[in-house]
Amino acid sequence: MPGPSSQKTDGLADATPPGSIRASVCTSLRSCTPHASRYRPMLELARRVGRRPLGPASAEALMGAVRHAARWWPGRAACMETSLGAVLAAALLGRRLDWCLGARFAPPPVEYHAWAELPDHGPVGEYTLGGWHHHTALTI
């Protein structure tokens, strides 16, 4: 019986050895700092490098890997850092995720949030069973 590692999604798991996924996740988390002015150049580079589509299952796995690596990060690793880490990790693998910033207005209080999103698919690694109530203010 084949194991979970032998299942094919979009070729990402077959074409990329686990070590390079870990390296890209660690590199992308290392580049995330609390200084928002540094995010723009990294995202522009990610946009140019990551052009191939990423499948939903691979995107969920990538987000899980970033969140797992974030546990070892000594600084803050909340929604902004993990979503940006996933976008940059996808770019290092030559894939594409969008980075979104937005807010949820109801129920009060207002909640600001950042998330990674697959173009034409929706948020990656987010709880959406109860509906998605965040409004996108910026997509990069």
Side-chain angles (χ1 to χ4, degrees):
M1 180 169 178
S5 63
S6 64
Q7 295 175 353
K8 293 187 179 187
T9 53
D10 64 351
L12 179 64
D14 297 336
T16 310
S20 65
I21 291 175
R22 278 188 294 248
S24 65
V25 168
C26 291
T27 302
S28 61
L29 278 176
R30 183 171 181 235
S31 64
C32 297
T33 64
H35 306 291
S37 62
R38 291 185 63 191
Y39 291 157
R40 187 66 135 162
M42 289 186 292
L43 287 167
E44 290 302 323
L45 178 64
R47 201 166 189 54
R48 280 186 260 133
V49 172
R51 297 191 185 268
R52 292 184 294 172
L54 186 64
S58 294
E60 294 287 338
L62 187 63
M63 181 60 81
V66 169
R67 287 192 176 135
H68 182 74
R71 290 186 222 160
W72 294 93
W73 185 247
R76 177 187 167 195
C79 62
M80 187 182 320
E81 291 79 14
T82 56
S83 60
L84 181 60
V87 169
L88 295 175
L92 288 171
L93 294 171
R95 305 296 176 135
R96 171 88 188 268
L97 281 175
D98 289 337
W99 191 48
C100 301
L101 302 172
R104 177 182 53 90
F105 298 102
V110 173
E111 176 188 78
Y112 301 101
H113 191 50
W115 63 93
E117 188 173 280
L118 280 170
D120 302 325
H121 188 271
V124 175
E126 300 287 338
Y127 177 77
T128 57
L129 294 178
W132 185 247
H133 304 290
H134 290 81
H135 300 278
T136 305
L138 176 68
T139 300
I140 300 175

